Amino acid sequence: MKLKEIADFVKGILTGPADLEIIGIARIEEAKPGELSWFSHPRYKKWLSKTQASCVVVLKGEEGIPGVNTIKVENLAIAMESLLLKFYPLSPMPAVGISKLSAIGKNVKMGKNVSIGDFVCIGYETVLGDNTIVMDGAYIGNKVRIGNDCQIHPNAVIKEDVFLGNRVIIGSGTVVGSDGFAYNRITTPEKNGDYKYKRMPHRGGVILEDDVEVGANSTIDKSVIGNTIVKKGTKLDNLVHVAHNVIIGENSILCAQVGIAGSVNIGNNVVIAGQAGVPDHITVGDNVVIAAQSGVTKDIPAGITVSGFPARPHIESNRAYSLLIDLPDLFKRVKKLEEQSPPRRDVPCKQQ
Amino acid sequence: MKLKEIADFVKGILTGPADLEIIGIARIEEAKPGELSWFSHPRYKKWLSKTQASCVVVLKGEEGIPGVNTIKVENLAIAMESLLLKFYPLSPMPAVGISKLSAIGKNVKMGKNVSIGDFVCIGYETVLGDNTIVMDGAYIGNKVRIGNDCQIHPNAVIKEDVFLGNRVIIGSGTVVGSDGFAYNRITTPEKNGDYKYKRMPHRGGVILEDDVEVGANSTIDKSVIGNTIVKKGTKLDNLVHVAHNVIIGENSILCAQVGIAGSVNIGNNVVIAGQAGVPDHITVGDNVVIAAQSGVTKDIPAGITVSGFPARPHIESNRAYSLLIDLPDLFKRVKKLEEQSPPRRDVPCKQQ
Amino acid sequence: MKLKEIADFVKGILTGPADLEIIGIARIEEAKPGELSWFSHPRYKKWLSKTQASCVVVLKGEEGIPGVNTIKVENLAIAMESLLLKFYPLSPMPAVGISKLSAIGKNVKMGKNVSIGDFVCIGYETVLGDNTIVMDGAYIGNKVRIGNDCQIHPNAVIKEDVFLGNRVIIGSGTVVGSDGFAYNRITTPEKNGDYKYKRMPHRGGVILEDDVEVGANSTIDKSVIGNTIVKKGTKLDNLVHVAHNVIIGENSILCAQVGIAGSVNIGNNVVIAGQAGVPDHITVGDNVVIAAQSGVTKDIPAGITVSGFPARPHIESNRAYSLLIDLPDLFKRVKKLEEQSPPRRDVPCKQQ
C-alpha cells in the first residue's frame, strides 16, 4: 500500500511522499525502512525522531517531527486497529459446523452458523446462540446458556448453569462455574474439638453479560445460591480469580493475577491492576482505581485511587511507601534526639 | 414446601405461620416474598429486619426479630445444606460406564460403578476405586492410584505416579504431579563462567490423602524423590501453587492464589488466606493463620496468626501497618524536633 | 547396587564398605538403612550425622563425618541426577506415531519420530521437528513452528503463530499465544462520556527460544505486532503470567506466580522469585535478582538485588522492612520527645 492510500484508508492527513510503498507495520523502536509505525505511549517519545519507520501514525495535534513522515488521525487506536487488520488479516475462523469428533448431549439447541471444534463436549439442554464458536477441546456443561457471537477458546471449561450474554470471549484454560470455596466446619463432638470441613452445595450460577471478555487460565466460581455476576463490557486478564457470589459492574478492568474473594461488590468503570487482592464482603465504588499488588482491607468509596497494603488513597500511600526506605535513618535520628534529651531533663532550665 | 414441613425437615423451631408456602431459597438481601433465607454472617445483621424473605433460618440462641418469621436450628450450616439440596437437587451424575470416546491404557483396574467421560485419557497400570468419576477431557497418567468416590473434573490433569485417597476432588484445569521447579546450574568451563540450567529428574510422586479437595487451575508438583503430601481433609482453592516436596497437614485451608515454595512443611488446621506466600524450606506450625497477601520469611510456631511482609504476629503487624500512612507526618515531626534541638546544644543549660 | 559400584558410576571417592547393598534413594531426613542419600542444602547439615542412610553423597571438599559412609563427588547435581535415573528410570515415552484419536489439520509437516497423543488437535500449516512429543489433549493452532526434541504436555494450548525452538518444554495447562490484554477506550460521544473497551487486534506472535521450559498453568500472551520473546535457556515455573510484547533474556528464572506486564524488557541471568510483579514498560538489567513478592516500580540496573514494595536494593529494603514492626514504638518515642520539648521552648535557656 502506498502512503496516500493508507492516509485515505484511515481518513488521516499525510505529511510525506504520497507514493512511498509500505510493506508492513512494526513497533516504533523496531521498524525498518518500508514499514509503518505509530506513536502512542509517551515513553516512546524519543523514538519519534530516531525511528527507521518510513511513516509514523500520530494523533492529530501532535507536533510535526522534522524529517519524519507522518499521518495524523482523529483516533489513533481505531486507525491502527484497521491498519493491523488490513496488513495482517485474521486467520479464517473455524469452518461453520459441528465436528464429528465432538460429543453433544441431548436437547442441545444451536442458532445459525454455530461452529463446534474437535473433542468438544457439550452437556444436555445447553443453548448456543448464532455465530458462536466453541473451539477444540473446550468443555461446556449441562443447561448452559450462551448468546450470539461468543468465542470459547481451546480447552476452556464452562460448567453447569452458567449464562453468557452476546459477544462473550472465554480464553483458553479458563474455568467458569467451578464450585465456590465455601466450607462449613463440622465439629465431631465424640472426638473432643476435632472438626472437618464440608463444602456447601453450590446451587447458584455465573452470569457474564454482553461483551465480557476473560483471558487465559482464569477462574470464576459459582455461588451457593443466586449468581456470581460480571456486567456488560468488563474485561478480565489471565490468571484472575473471581470467587463465588461476587458482583463486578460494567466496563471494569481486572488485570492479570488479581484475586477477588467471596461476596465482593465492585462498581462500574473500575480498574484493578495486576496482583491486587480484595477480601470477602468488601464494596468497591464506581470509578475506583486499585494499583498493582494493593491489598484492600475495607470498603472503597467511588472515584478513589488506592494503593499499598493496607490499600489507602494513592497520593498518601505513595508518599508513605516512598519514605519506607528512609526508616533506618529515621530511627537513627530519633535515637540521636533521645541522647540529646536526657541530660537536659536532669538539669531542667526552669529549675535554675 | 410449607414452613412447618421445612421446620420439621431441619428439626428446627418455627416462629411463624405453619402453612405458609415457600417456593425457593435466596440470599437475605435479595430474597422476595415466598422465599426462604438464612442469617449467618454478622455483616448481614441489618438485613434481618429489612429482608423480604418469608422466613429466615437462624441459629438457636439468636434473638427473635419482631415481624420476621424464623426457624431456629442447632446447626445452621447443616440445615442450609440439606435445604439447598432439597430445593435445588444436584444434576444427576454422569452415567456409570466408560465412554467409547475415551482412551484407556493397558492394565487399568477399575472398581465398581466407575464413570469415565468423553475424551478422557488414562495411562497404563492405573487404578480407579469404586464410584470414582473422571469427567470429560481429563487426563490421568500411568501408574496413578485413585481411591473410591473421587471426582476428577473436566480437563484436569493428573500425571504419572500420583496417589489420591478416597473422596478426593480435583477441580477443572488443575494439574497434579507436574515436575517440580528444581534446576541445577551447570557451568560450562570452556565458556568462562557461562552456565545453563538443567532440571533435576523428578522421580517422586504426589499423595493427596482422603477428603482432600482442590479447586480449579491449581498446580501441585511432584518431588525429586519421596512425595509431595497433602494430608486428610485439607482444602485448596483456585490457582494455588504447591511446589515439590511440600508437606501440608490435615484439615488445613489454602485460599486462592496462595503460593507454597519447595520443601515447606505446614501443620494441621492451618489457614492461609488469599495470595499469601511461603518461601522454601519453611516450617509452619499447627493452627497457624496466615493473613491474605502475607509474605512469610521464617518459621512460624504453632498457634500464631501472622500478617504483613515480612509476616509477623498479626496484632503487632497490624498496628505497624496502620501507622504506615502516618509516616510522612512522623518525618515532619522529627524534623521539627531536630530544628528545635541544635540551638540548645549550642547553649546548653548546664554550662551556664 | 553395591556402594563401590555406585562410587565408580559417579566417579566419586568412597569412604565406607565397598560391598554394602543399596536398594534406593531417599531424602536425608527420611532415608532408612539400605538407602542412599545426599547432602546439598546447608539447612540439612544437622541431618548429616543423624541420617539413617547407609551412605551420603557429598561434594568433594566437604568434611568427613565420623561413622557416616560417604561418596565424595566433583559435581553433586550431576551425580545425583544420574543416580536418580539409574535407580528410578523414566517411564518409556509415548510410542512414536500419530494417534488415530487425534485431529491433524492440512499441510502439517512433521520431522522424524514425532509422537502425537490422543485427542490432540493440530492446526493447518503447522511444523513439528524431529523427536517432538505432543501429549494427550494438547491443542496446537495454525501456523505454529515447533523445533526438535520438544515436549508439549497434556492439555497445554499453543495458539496460532507461536514459534518454539529446540528442546522446549510446555507444561500441562499452560497457554502460549493467547491475545494480549490491550484495549482501547472508545468513547461514544452521543452518550456523553460513556465509553467501552475494544481489544486491539493481536497480530504478532510468541517466540520461545531453545531450551526454554515452562511449568503448568502459566500464560504467555502474543503481541499486537512483533513478538513476545523468551530467550535461550530461560525457565518459567507454574502460574506465571507473561504479557504481550515482553522480552525476557537468556538463562533467566521466573518462579511461580510471577507476573510480568506488557512491554517489559528483562535481561539475561535474571532471577525473579515467587509472586513478584513487574509493571508495564519497565527494563530489568542483566543479573538482577528480584526477591519474592517484590513490587517493581521503576527500571532496575544490571546486577542489583531488589526486594519489597516499591522494590529497592535488597540490603536497604530489608533493613527498612525489618524496622516496620518497631514503628508503633517509634511513634511513642517521638511523642515523648515532643512532650519534653514544649516547656523548654516556653522557657528557652538563652533568654535567661
Side-chain angles (χ1 to χ4, degrees):
Chain A
M1 255 175 126
K2 291 186 163 44
L3 274 188
K4 178 69 170 68
E5 291 172 286
I6 292 173
D8 290 350
F9 180 70
V10 298
K11 291 175 188 136
I13 297 156
L14 172 66
T15 308
D19 57 353
L20 190 62
E21 188 75 27
I22 294 295
I23 56 163
I25 303 175
R27 297 201 288 257
I28 198 162
E29 72 276 28
E30 295 175 347
K32 298 191 188 68
E35 290 180 323
L36 182 79
S37 194
W38 74 101
F39 168 68
S40 53
H41 198 289
R43 255 180 217 252
Y44 295 92
K45 190 91 188 178
K46 63 171 180 188
W47 283 102
L48 254 181
S49 50
K50 283 168 62 182
T51 185
Q52 294 189 50
S54 289
C55 182
V56 180
V57 185
V58 299
L59 200 60
K60 193 175 278 186
E62 194 71 41
E63 295 173 49
I65 314 102
V68 179
N69 303 326
T70 55
I71 295 173
K72 295 188 177 181
V73 295
E74 285 280 353
N75 187 317
L76 184 61
I78 288 175
M80 287 316 301
E81 185 192 350
S82 51
L83 283 171
L84 281 164
L85 292 174
K86 184 85 178 170
F87 276 86
Y88 309 95
L90 289 173
S91 283
M93 274 293 170
V96 165
I98 298 170
S99 163
K100 286 176 189 170
L101 299 173
S102 65
I104 315 287
K106 286 185 183 170
N107 300 320
V108 169
K109 283 181 196 160
M110 296 192 197
K112 296 173 200 163
N113 300 322
V114 167
S115 169
I116 308 283
D118 301 325
F119 312 126
V120 165
C121 290
I122 299 186
Y124 58 77
E125 291 171 35
T126 281
V127 177
L128 303 172
D130 298 346
N131 310 312
T132 280
I133 300 172
V134 182
M135 301 186 202
D136 304 328
Y139 168 92
I140 297 177
N142 304 323
K143 298 177 183 174
V144 171
R145 299 275 172 285
I146 299 184
N148 301 328
D149 304 295
C150 292
Q151 292 179 23
I152 314 300
H153 282 255
N155 289 7
V157 171
I158 298 178
K159 304 196 82 173
E160 196 172 60
D161 292 325
V162 169
F163 179 99
L164 307 186
N166 300 315
R167 297 172 301 282
V168 170
I169 298 177
I170 304 296
S172 284
T174 283
V175 178
V176 182
S178 33
D179 278 2
F181 196 66
Y183 286 89
N184 294 309
R185 214 184 248 214
I186 309 293
T187 47
T188 43
E190 64 275 18
K191 283 195 190 166
N192 201 14
D194 247 28
Y195 60 86
K196 58 177 187 174
Y197 289 103
K198 197 168 177 206
R199 201 168 207 139
M200 278 291 271
H202 284 72
R203 305 303 301 128
V206 175
I207 298 173
L208 307 183
E209 295 186 357
D210 293 351
D211 299 300
V212 167
E213 300 181 18
V214 184
N217 284 349
S218 290
T219 61
I220 304 176
D221 284 353
K222 65 165 60 162
S223 291
V224 167
I225 201 78
N227 290 295
T228 302
I229 303 173
V230 181
K231 294 187 181 167
K232 279 185 210 171
T234 285
K235 316 296 183 190
L236 278 63
D237 198 353
N238 300 340
L239 296 167
V240 171
H241 169 68
V242 176
H244 56 130
N245 206 8
V246 165
I247 297 172
I248 302 177
E250 298 181 12
N251 286 324
S252 290
I253 293 278
L254 276 69
C255 296
Q257 298 175 319
V258 160
I260 310 293
S263 302
V264 164
N265 201 319
I266 294 174
N268 300 324
N269 309 323
V270 168
V271 175
I272 309 186
Q275 299 185 328
V278 183
D280 55 327
H281 295 282
I282 290 286
T283 297
V284 174
D286 294 343
N287 302 303
V288 162
V289 176
I290 302 179
Q293 290 193 330
S294 299
V296 173
T297 57
K298 55 181 191 184
D299 291 355
I300 306 177
I304 306 286
T305 295
V306 299
S307 66
F309 173 80
R312 294 290 173 260
H314 177 63
I315 293 172
E316 294 167 50
S317 188
N318 193 33
R319 204 178 287 141
Y321 270 97
S322 312
L323 289 170
L324 204 55
I325 203 75
D326 298 324
L327 213 46
D329 185 52
L330 189 69
F331 272 83
K332 276 186 209 148
R333 288 158 63 189
V334 169
K335 186 140 194 284
K336 195 172 171 191
L337 284 166
E338 287 170 336
E339 286 165 356
Q340 294 166 5
S341 292
R344 297 190 194 160
R345 245 182 305 158
D346 296 337
V347 193
C349 292
K350 57 181 164 180
Q351 292 187 3
Q352 294 191 320
Chain B
M1 255 175 126
K2 291 188 165 44
L3 274 188
K4 180 68 172 68
E5 290 173 287
I6 292 173
D8 290 350
F9 180 69
V10 297
K11 291 176 188 138
I13 296 157
L14 172 65
T15 308
D19 58 351
L20 191 62
E21 189 75 27
I22 294 298
I23 56 163
I25 303 176
R27 296 202 288 257
I28 199 163
E29 71 277 27
E30 295 175 345
K32 297 193 189 68
E35 290 180 324
L36 182 79
S37 195
W38 74 100
F39 167 68
S40 52
H41 197 288
R43 255 179 216 251
Y44 294 92
K45 190 90 187 178
K46 62 172 181 187
W47 284 101
L48 255 181
S49 50
K50 285 168 63 184
T51 185
Q52 294 189 51
S54 290
C55 182
V56 180
V57 184
V58 298
L59 200 59
K60 193 175 277 186
E62 193 72 40
E63 294 173 51
I65 315 102
V68 179
N69 302 326
T70 55
I71 295 172
K72 294 188 176 177
V73 295
E74 284 280 354
N75 187 317
L76 185 60
I78 288 175
M80 287 317 300
E81 185 193 350
S82 49
L83 283 170
L84 282 163
L85 293 174
K86 184 83 179 173
F87 276 86
Y88 309 96
L90 290 173
S91 283
M93 274 293 168
V96 166
I98 298 168
S99 164
K100 286 175 188 169
L101 299 172
S102 64
I104 315 286
K106 285 185 184 170
N107 300 322
V108 169
K109 283 181 196 160
M110 296 193 196
K112 295 174 199 163
N113 300 320
V114 166
S115 170
I116 308 284
D118 301 326
F119 312 126
V120 165
C121 290
I122 299 186
Y124 58 77
E125 291 173 34
T126 281
V127 177
L128 303 172
D130 297 345
N131 309 310
T132 279
I133 300 171
V134 183
M135 300 185 204
D136 304 328
Y139 167 91
I140 297 177
N142 303 325
K143 298 179 185 173
V144 171
R145 299 275 174 284
I146 299 184
N148 300 327
D149 304 295
C150 292
Q151 292 179 23
I152 313 301
H153 281 256
N155 289 6
V157 170
I158 298 178
K159 305 196 81 172
E160 195 172 62
D161 292 325
V162 170
F163 179 98
L164 308 186
N166 300 314
R167 296 173 301 282
V168 169
I169 299 176
I170 305 297
S172 284
T174 283
V175 178
V176 182
S178 32
D179 277 2
F181 195 66
Y183 286 89
N184 295 310
R185 214 183 249 213
I186 309 293
T187 49
T188 43
E190 63 274 20
K191 284 193 188 169
N192 199 13
D194 245 28
Y195 60 86
K196 60 177 185 173
Y197 289 104
K198 194 166 180 209
R199 200 169 208 139
M200 277 291 271
H202 284 71
R203 303 303 300 127
V206 175
I207 297 173
L208 307 183
E209 295 186 354
D210 292 351
D211 299 300
V212 166
E213 299 181 20
V214 185
N217 284 349
S218 289
T219 61
I220 305 176
D221 283 355
K222 65 167 57 164
S223 293
V224 167
I225 200 75
N227 290 294
T228 302
I229 303 173
V230 181
K231 294 187 181 169
K232 280 185 207 169
T234 285
K235 317 296 183 189
L236 278 64
D237 199 354
N238 301 339
L239 296 167
V240 170
H241 168 69
V242 176
H244 56 131
N245 205 8
V246 166
I247 296 173
I248 302 177
E250 298 183 11
N251 286 323
S252 290
I253 293 279
L254 275 69
C255 296
Q257 297 174 320
V258 160
I260 309 294
S263 302
V264 165
N265 200 320
I266 293 175
N268 300 322
N269 309 322
V270 167
V271 175
I272 308 186
Q275 298 183 330
V278 182
D280 55 326
H281 294 282
I282 290 286
T283 297
V284 174
D286 294 343
N287 302 301
V288 161
V289 175
I290 301 178
Q293 290 191 332
S294 299
V296 173
T297 57
K298 55 180 192 184
D299 291 354
I300 306 177
I304 306 287
T305 296
V306 299
S307 67
F309 172 80
R312 294 288 172 264
H314 177 60
I315 294 173
E316 294 166 51
S317 187
N318 192 33
R319 203 179 286 141
Y321 269 96
S322 312
L323 289 170
L324 204 55
I325 203 74
D326 298 324
L327 213 46
D329 185 52
L330 189 69
F331 272 83
K332 278 187 206 147
R333 287 158 64 189
V334 170
K335 186 142 196 283
K336 197 172 168 190
L337 284 166
E338 288 169 334
E339 287 165 354
Q340 292 167 8
S341 291
R344 296 190 195 160
R345 245 184 304 160
D346 296 338
V347 193
C349 291
K350 56 182 167 183
Q351 293 186 4
Q352 294 189 318
Chain C
M1 251 173 131
K2 290 187 165 44
L3 276 187
K4 180 69 171 64
E5 291 172 288
I6 293 173
D8 290 349
F9 180 69
V10 297
K11 292 174 187 139
I13 296 156
L14 172 65
T15 309
D19 57 353
L20 190 62
E21 188 75 28
I22 295 296
I23 56 164
I25 303 175
R27 297 201 289 257
I28 198 163
E29 72 277 27
E30 294 176 346
K32 296 194 191 65
E35 290 180 324
L36 183 79
S37 194
W38 75 100
F39 167 67
S40 52
H41 197 289
R43 254 180 217 251
Y44 294 92
K45 189 92 188 178
K46 63 171 181 188
W47 283 102
L48 254 182
S49 49
K50 283 169 64 183
T51 186
Q52 294 189 50
S54 290
C55 183
V56 180
V57 184
V58 299
L59 200 60
K60 194 176 277 188
E62 193 71 41
E63 295 172 50
I65 314 103
V68 179
N69 302 327
T70 56
I71 295 173
K72 293 189 177 179
V73 295
E74 285 280 354
N75 187 317
L76 185 60
I78 288 175
M80 287 318 300
E81 186 192 350
S82 50
L83 283 171
L84 281 164
L85 292 174
K86 184 86 179 171
F87 276 87
Y88 309 96
L90 290 173
S91 283
M93 275 294 170
V96 165
I98 298 169
S99 164
K100 286 176 187 168
L101 299 173
S102 65
I104 315 286
K106 286 184 184 170
N107 300 323
V108 169
K109 284 182 197 160
M110 295 192 198
K112 296 174 199 162
N113 300 321
V114 167
S115 169
I116 307 284
D118 301 325
F119 313 127
V120 165
C121 290
I122 299 185
Y124 59 75
E125 291 173 35
T126 281
V127 177
L128 303 172
D130 297 346
N131 310 312
T132 280
I133 300 172
V134 183
M135 300 187 204
D136 304 327
Y139 168 92
I140 297 177
N142 303 325
K143 299 178 184 174
V144 171
R145 298 276 173 284
I146 298 184
N148 300 329
D149 303 296
C150 292
Q151 292 179 21
I152 314 301
H153 281 256
N155 289 8
V157 171
I158 297 178
K159 305 195 82 172
E160 197 172 61
D161 292 325
V162 169
F163 179 98
L164 308 187
N166 300 316
R167 297 173 301 281
V168 170
I169 298 177
I170 304 297
S172 284
T174 283
V175 178
V176 182
S178 32
D179 278 3
F181 196 68
Y183 287 89
N184 294 311
R185 215 184 248 213
I186 309 293
T187 47
T188 43
E190 64 275 17
K191 283 194 189 169
N192 199 15
D194 245 29
Y195 59 86
K196 59 176 186 175
Y197 289 104
K198 197 171 178 205
R199 200 170 208 139
M200 278 292 271
H202 283 72
R203 304 302 301 128
V206 174
I207 298 174
L208 307 184
E209 295 186 354
D210 292 351
D211 300 300
V212 167
E213 299 182 18
V214 185
N217 285 348
S218 289
T219 61
I220 304 176
D221 283 355
K222 66 167 57 165
S223 293
V224 167
I225 201 77
N227 290 295
T228 303
I229 302 174
V230 181
K231 295 187 181 167
K232 278 185 210 170
T234 285
K235 317 295 182 189
L236 278 63
D237 198 354
N238 300 339
L239 296 165
V240 170
H241 169 69
V242 176
H244 56 131
N245 205 9
V246 166
I247 296 173
I248 302 177
E250 298 182 12
N251 285 324
S252 290
I253 292 279
L254 275 69
C255 296
Q257 298 175 319
V258 159
I260 309 294
S263 302
V264 164
N265 201 321
I266 294 175
N268 300 325
N269 309 323
V270 168
V271 175
I272 308 185
Q275 298 185 329
V278 183
D280 55 325
H281 294 282
I282 290 286
T283 296
V284 173
D286 293 343
N287 302 302
V288 162
V289 176
I290 302 178
Q293 290 193 331
S294 299
V296 173
T297 58
K298 56 180 191 183
D299 291 354
I300 306 177
I304 306 286
T305 296
V306 299
S307 67
F309 172 80
R312 293 289 173 264
H314 177 62
I315 293 172
E316 294 167 49
S317 189
N318 192 34
R319 204 179 286 142
Y321 270 97
S322 310
L323 289 170
L324 204 55
I325 203 72
D326 297 325
L327 213 46
D329 184 52
L330 188 69
F331 273 83
K332 276 186 210 147
R333 287 159 63 189
V334 170
K335 187 143 194 283
K336 196 172 168 190
L337 285 166
E338 288 170 334
E339 285 165 356
Q340 292 167 7
S341 291
R344 299 189 194 160
R345 244 181 306 158
D346 296 336
V347 193
C349 293
K350 57 182 167 182
Q351 292 186 4
Q352 293 189 319

